[in-house]
Amino acid sequence: KQEVTQIPAALSVPEGENLVLNCSFTDSAIYNLQWFRQDPGKGLTSLLLIQSSQREQTSGRLNASLDKSSGRSTLYIAASQPGDSATYLCAVRQGGSQGNLIFGKGTKLSVKP
Amino acid sequence: DVKVTQSSRYLVKRTGEKVFLECVQDMDHENMFWYRQDPGLGLRLIYFSYDVKMKEKGDIPEGYSVSREKKERFSLILESASTNQTSMYLCASRPVGSGNTIYFGEGSWLTVV
């Protein structure tokens, strides 16, 4: 059974730092991997989606990488800002066209001014 | 712009009541999902639907049912609410295809007393 783990559970950094969030999964047979952001009390917003055939995706200050063979993904945030404070979740998609997402429990990021 | 709307953001219900949580998407997506999110447990899939009148059980379907009579609407039903169903409920939708991202609603906070 697929398991997704995110370490650390919480992270606090000063503004301006570059940081890396980690995601690992136990079954490499995935279709894609997504990173999400969740603000307190809100729904999830998709940040980046990496197909299983891709190695990385970039959007602005965010860069996500995927190493399927080792079951790992990282989300790199450059020049962090207080507005980046949120919980970041990764999820892997398995199965066919109806495949479901398996979520990690998230990393709660706090960026201090 | 993509929109998944959960009609009730905050509900308080009594044990034994029948509860309806409604979700509407305006993107003509085939797939729709209901998750619940609990501290320490992350997001868990309750039910999903890949077409009108079609439904599949997720990881934790016990105590829940769903209805999808129209493509844009997916309802979650708690036949007899219990206190252990107090949670944040998230609806999501996604078009068919392995490369497509998923879109979440803002969530419904349900408290059962």
Side-chain angles (χ1 to χ4, degrees):
Chain A
K1 182 184 174 185
Q2 179 75 269
E3 291 184 4
V4 180
T5 303
Q6 292 186 247
I7 295 173
L11 181 64
S12 181
V13 301
E15 182 176 4
E17 259 199 24
N18 302 325
L19 59 101
V20 173
L21 306 180
N22 297 294
C23 174
S24 61
F25 47 95
T26 55
D27 185 351
S28 62
I30 64 170
Y31 269 51
N32 60 45
L33 182 144
Q34 270 187 269
W35 282 93
F36 296 87
R37 169 185 173 135
Q38 186 176 29
D39 293 296
K42 298 292 184 71
L44 280 68
T45 300
S46 179
L47 297 173
L48 290 165
L49 183 150
I50 311 176
Q51 300 289 3
S52 62
S53 58
Q54 296 175 322
R55 298 284 292 183
E56 64 178 330
Q57 281 285 343
T58 298
S59 176
R61 292 183 295 109
L62 305 179
N63 175 276
S65 68
L66 174 64
D67 184 342
K68 242 181 57 165
S69 60
S70 67
R72 299 180 69 163
S73 176
T74 61
L75 179 67
Y76 174 82
I77 303 176
S80 58
Q81 303 170 358
D84 294 330
S85 298
T87 296
Y88 291 81
L89 297 102
C90 73
V92 298
R93 180 169 171 188
Q94 297 185 245
S97 60
Q98 323 293 358
N100 300 320
L101 295 178
I102 311 296
F103 284 85
K105 294 180 181 176
T107 294
K108 186 174 182 179
L109 174 65
S110 176
V111 181
K112 306 289 188 187
Chain B
D1 206 11
V2 166
K3 193 79 174 173
V4 177
T5 303
Q6 295 182 232
S7 53
S8 302
R9 286 280 285 144
Y10 303 96
L11 305 95
V12 180
K13 298 292 182 180
R14 296 193 182 279
T15 301
E17 273 194 77
K18 190 168 186 175
V19 181
F20 293 87
L21 299 180
E22 305 286 346
C23 176
V24 176
Q25 50 100 358
D26 64 358
M27 298 160 285
D28 203 37
H29 289 170
E30 293 81 4
N31 297 337
M32 295 189 75
F33 307 82
W34 275 106
Y35 292 88
R36 65 177 281 177
Q37 185 176 30
D38 301 284
L41 296 176
L43 274 88
R44 293 177 291 168
L45 181 65
I46 305 171
Y47 268 97
F48 67 99
S49 168
Y50 51 86
D51 205 348
V52 176
K53 296 191 186 294
M54 306 299 282
K55 61 184 179 185
E56 293 284 342
K57 293 180 180 179
D59 298 320
I60 50 164
E62 296 79 18
Y64 303 94
S65 62
V66 291
S67 172
R68 192 157 180 212
E69 296 297 316
K70 293 184 178 181
K71 192 175 186 180
E72 67 270 20
R73 187 179 297 270
F74 192 35
S75 302
L76 180 68
I77 303 156
L78 288 68
E79 295 289 343
S80 177
S82 63
T83 55
N84 63 12
Q85 292 178 310
T86 291
S87 187
M88 162 86 137
Y89 290 88
L90 289 160
C91 174
S93 74
R94 185 183 69 202
V96 169
S98 61
N100 292 316
T101 194
I102 189 169
Y103 298 90
F104 281 85
E106 288 285 279
S108 297
W109 287 93
L110 172 66
T111 301
V112 183
V113 298

